[in-house]
């Protein structure tokens, strides 16, 4: 039955559905490729946990601005006001959904979508409902038990120098062709910086995307003081756009990556543009870099470092930074209390998208640099709203090219996984659960205290 316990923030009718059709899983899932998707957990533990998870989920849904529709006609969720509606989550196989949720928590939520146990009229909107209340969906007494119950990060995914190459490869070496199906011509895989603000930002179009990506890069290069003759270190090459734009300014660039696919395409792009004498791209861990650089830039790479190694990351930057040099990084961030609650968790994103990843908080970055290095944060710019729209554009383009993705060998399960990843991420930025910052750092001056003031 529908729970009429309040209205909440409903969407207008014309905002209800996503502008594409989500591919459905095959009747038989290849267990060799997708072992956790092909088989529903059926152990005694999974059955018992599934019943508990089902009860917790239904209790939570009754107070959420969401419609959850079951095959028997039951609809759970708050009642929306006339002229509006809530996002719809359709349960195709409720028992399988409950079993996966009980067995793996939020890992099970993602896996059950991949398997087709549930669908959504607008997946981002559904995920926004959960993201906005992530700390209260599960009763507090049960939250304290999750450390004893939910999976832990495998040791082989800790970001040691031995493991990091494998972690990076599992995401970035999927296929350059795959990434080109949804990235713009700059092949930039991080938040853009659009000229629009406010309501206009929510409807930015694809044709301005490449320019917005370049604007993001140019701002980082400006803040790092990159110009003619600047020695630039880039930690995390991507597909080469930042190195190219730095070289166009007359800088010499040394860029390191752990993705062989990215290195190959980035080198080709550099050669095609005629900058092979100015840009060097090596397959190397950031910890192994030597030399001295006037400017160090790193775009959304700190998330792959691992919280145990944040001090090492910034100490390495400090060691490589020339006197008077500047650092400009772009980092996805999370609230500090959520970081502390989840930093050792093993999530769906770890299992399927970014093994070993941990998103830092601004406080963690500031504390680490203040206590472990001589670097100091001098300036920050938050652009989380811009990331939400970057993800929207990727999501729409990826789904519009579904047939091309399938032709590359990425099946319907993969496509549902990738869609869940894009929508899950976008929901985080739309609700403010996640943010992204451009952060400028340099060395603390003589006589300056840890908090940046004169002693």
């Amino acid at each position: 039955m529908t729970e009429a316990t309040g209205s909440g923030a409903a969407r207008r009718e014309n905002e209800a559905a996503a502008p594409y059709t989500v591919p459905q899983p095959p009747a038989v899932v290849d267990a060799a490729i997708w072992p956790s998707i092909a088989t529903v957990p059926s152990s005694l533990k999974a059955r018992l946990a599934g019943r508990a998870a089902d009860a917790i989920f239904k209790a939570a849904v009754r107070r959420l601005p969401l419609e959850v529709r079951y095959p028997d006609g039951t609809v759970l969720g708050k009642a929306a006001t006339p002229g509006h509606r809530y996002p719809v989550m359709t349960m195709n196989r409720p028992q399988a959904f409950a079993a996966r949720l009980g067995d793996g928590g939020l890992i099970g939520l993602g896996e059950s979508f991949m398997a087709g146990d549930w669908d959504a009229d607008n997946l981002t909107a559904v995920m926004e409902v959960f993201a906005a209340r992530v700390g209260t969906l599960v009763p507090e007494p049960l939250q304290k038990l999750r450390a004893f119950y939910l999976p832990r990060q495998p040791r082989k995914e800790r970001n040691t120098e031995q493991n990091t190459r494998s972690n990076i490869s599992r995401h970035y070496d999927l296929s350059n062709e795959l990434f080109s199906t949804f990235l713009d011509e700059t092949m930039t895989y991080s938040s853009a910086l659009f000229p629009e603000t406010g309501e206009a930002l929510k409807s930015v179009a694809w044709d301005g995307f490449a320019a917005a990506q370049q604007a993001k890069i140019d701002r980082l290069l400006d803040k790092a003081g990159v110009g003619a003759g600047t020695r630039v270190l880039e930690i995390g090459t991507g597909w080469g756009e930042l190195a190219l734009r730095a070289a166009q300014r007359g800088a010499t660039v040394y860029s390191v990556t752990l993705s062989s696919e990215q290195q190959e395409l980035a080198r080709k792009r550099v050669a095609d543009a005629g900058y092979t004498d100015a840009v060097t791209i090596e397959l190397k861990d950031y910890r192994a870099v030597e030399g001295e650089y006037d400017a160090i830039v790193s775009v959304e790479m700190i998330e792959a470092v691992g919280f145990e190694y944040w001090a090492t990351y910034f100490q390495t930057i400090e060691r490589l930074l020339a006197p008077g040099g500047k650092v400009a990084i772009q980092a996805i961030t999370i609230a500090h209390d959520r970081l502390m609650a989840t930093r050792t968790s093993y999530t769906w994103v770890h299992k399927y998208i970014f093994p070993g990843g941990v998103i830092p908080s601004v406080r963690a970055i500031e504390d680490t640099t203040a206590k472990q290095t001589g670097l100091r944060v001098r300036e920050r710019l938050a652009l989380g709203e811009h990331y939400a729209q970057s993800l929207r554009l990727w999501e729409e383009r990826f789904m519009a090219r579904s047939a091309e993705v399938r032709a590359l060998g990425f099946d319907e399960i993969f496509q549902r996984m990738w869609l869940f990843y894009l929508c899950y991420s976008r929901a985080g930025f739309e609700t403010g659960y996640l943010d992204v910052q451009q952060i400028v750092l340099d060395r603390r001056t003589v006589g300056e205290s840890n908090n940046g003031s004169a002693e």
Side-chain angles (χ1 to χ4, degrees):
M1 60 182 173
T2 300
E3 298 287 329
T5 55
S7 59
R11 296 171 297 149
R12 297 188 182 278
E13 290 290 347
N14 62 5
E15 297 174 338
Y20 48 75
T21 300
V22 179
Q24 292 302 302
V28 178
V29 176
D30 189 337
I33 301 174
W34 305 107
S36 297
I37 309 304
T39 304
V40 178
S42 59
S43 66
L44 177 61
K45 170 193 167 186
R47 292 198 303 272
L48 294 175
R51 291 173 191 164
D54 188 49
I56 293 169
F57 176 78
K58 288 177 177 176
V61 164
R62 288 188 173 96
R63 64 180 189 272
L64 298 181
L66 183 70
E67 281 188 27
V68 181
R69 300 177 180 174
Y70 286 82
D72 65 0
T74 299
V75 179
L76 298 180
K78 285 185 176 181
T81 56
H84 294 75
R85 61 172 299 208
Y86 290 137
V88 176
M89 182 177 184
T90 301
M91 289 293 175
N92 301 319
R93 294 187 290 271
Q95 290 182 331
F97 169 81
R100 294 185 200 274
L101 195 64
D103 191 59
L106 290 178
I107 293 178
L109 179 67
E111 289 182 338
S112 60
F113 179 79
M114 292 165 64
D117 297 336
W118 63 277
D119 278 295
D121 67 335
N122 185 319
L123 182 55
T124 297
V126 168
M127 297 310 297
E128 282 182 46
V129 174
F130 295 134
R133 301 158 181 83
V134 70
T136 59
L137 290 173
V138 177
E140 187 173 351
L142 294 179
Q143 289 188 41
K144 295 177 180 179
L145 297 175
R146 68 182 179 181
F148 301 100
Y149 175 75
L150 293 178
R152 305 283 290 182
Q153 182 188 39
R155 291 190 63 82
K156 65 181 181 180
E157 293 183 8
R158 291 186 62 198
N159 284 293
T160 63
E161 291 188 58
Q162 294 74 31
N163 295 342
T164 302
R165 174 75 188 277
S166 173
N167 286 346
I168 293 296
S169 179
R170 280 174 54 187
H171 186 78
Y172 294 99
D173 286 345
L174 283 168
S175 161
N176 285 336
E177 291 76 17
L178 169 68
F179 286 99
S180 69
T181 63
F182 67 93
L183 298 181
D184 65 87
E185 62 263 33
T186 70
M187 288 295 288
T188 306
Y189 188 38
S190 51
S191 179
L193 178 57
F194 297 96
E196 291 85 356
T197 58
E199 287 299 311
L201 179 59
K202 297 178 182 179
S203 57
V204 290
W206 181 264
D207 57 9
F209 201 9
Q213 290 289 11
Q214 291 172 335
K216 171 268 303 293
I217 291 170
D218 289 344
R219 187 181 187 279
L220 284 168
L221 295 178
D222 289 345
K223 292 298 180 179
V226 176
T230 305
R231 298 167 297 172
V232 177
L233 169 64
E234 181 185 23
I235 300 176
T237 306
W239 284 275
E241 185 69 14
L242 188 147
L244 281 170
R245 294 192 75 77
Q248 288 166 6
R249 296 182 175 210
T252 57
V253 183
Y254 185 72
S255 184
V256 294
T257 179
L258 289 175
S259 165
S260 55
E261 287 272 318
Q262 287 188 332
Q263 181 195 39
E264 179 182 359
L265 182 54
R267 281 180 167 178
K268 181 179 185 304
R269 294 183 70 209
V270 166
D272 290 347
Y275 288 108
T276 51
D277 291 339
V279 179
T280 301
I281 301 172
E282 297 288 350
L283 205 62
K284 181 178 290 187
D285 189 283
Y286 71 93
R287 289 164 282 204
V289 175
E290 299 293 339
E292 185 177 77
Y293 302 89
D294 307 304
I296 300 177
V297 289
S298 186
V299 180
E300 293 180 27
M301 183 273 177
I302 191 174
E303 304 86 352
V305 167
F307 75 90
E308 310 101 312
Y309 301 99
W310 287 337
T312 301
Y313 173 77
F314 285 111
Q315 288 164 357
T316 301
I317 288 174
E318 181 183 22
R319 171 174 61 83
L320 298 170
L321 188 65
K326 290 187 176 181
V327 181
I329 69 173
Q330 185 162 306
I332 299 172
T333 60
I334 193 170
H336 193 68
D337 63 330
R338 295 310 304 164
L339 166 65
M340 299 308 292
T342 63
R343 65 181 183 174
T344 61
S345 299
Y346 184 65
T347 69
W348 180 89
V349 171
H350 292 126
K351 184 173 180 178
Y352 288 98
I353 307 296
F354 291 114
V358 180
I359 294 173
S361 65
V362 169
R363 177 176 163 184
I365 292 172
E366 292 178 336
D367 285 354
T368 300
T369 53
K371 296 174 181 177
Q372 303 290 332
T373 76
L375 299 173
R376 292 298 173 270
V377 173
R378 301 301 185 186
E379 182 182 337
R380 292 194 289 114
L381 174 69
L383 44 147
E385 293 179 344
H386 295 256
Y387 217 149
Q389 299 312 311
S390 300
L391 284 155
R392 173 180 61 82
L393 292 172
W394 290 339
E395 171 196 334
E396 291 172 358
R397 192 166 178 88
F398 177 76
M399 296 309 298
R401 294 189 163 189
S402 176
E404 295 176 45
V405 173
R406 187 68 181 87
L408 290 171
F410 297 97
D411 65 13
E412 291 80 5
I413 302 293
F414 179 92
Q415 291 183 45
R416 289 177 71 92
M417 177 191 78
W418 206 258
L419 176 63
F420 189 85
Y421 152 58
L422 293 173
C423 293
Y424 179 95
S425 301
R426 180 181 162 199
F429 290 103
E430 290 280 14
T431 59
Y433 182 78
L434 298 176
D435 203 349
V436 62
Q437 307 271 341
Q438 286 195 349
I439 302 174
V440 182
L441 308 96
D442 61 15
R443 281 196 178 87
R444 187 173 69 240
T445 58
V446 175
E448 187 179 354
S449 66
N450 283 355
N451 62 14
S453 60
E455 293 182 315

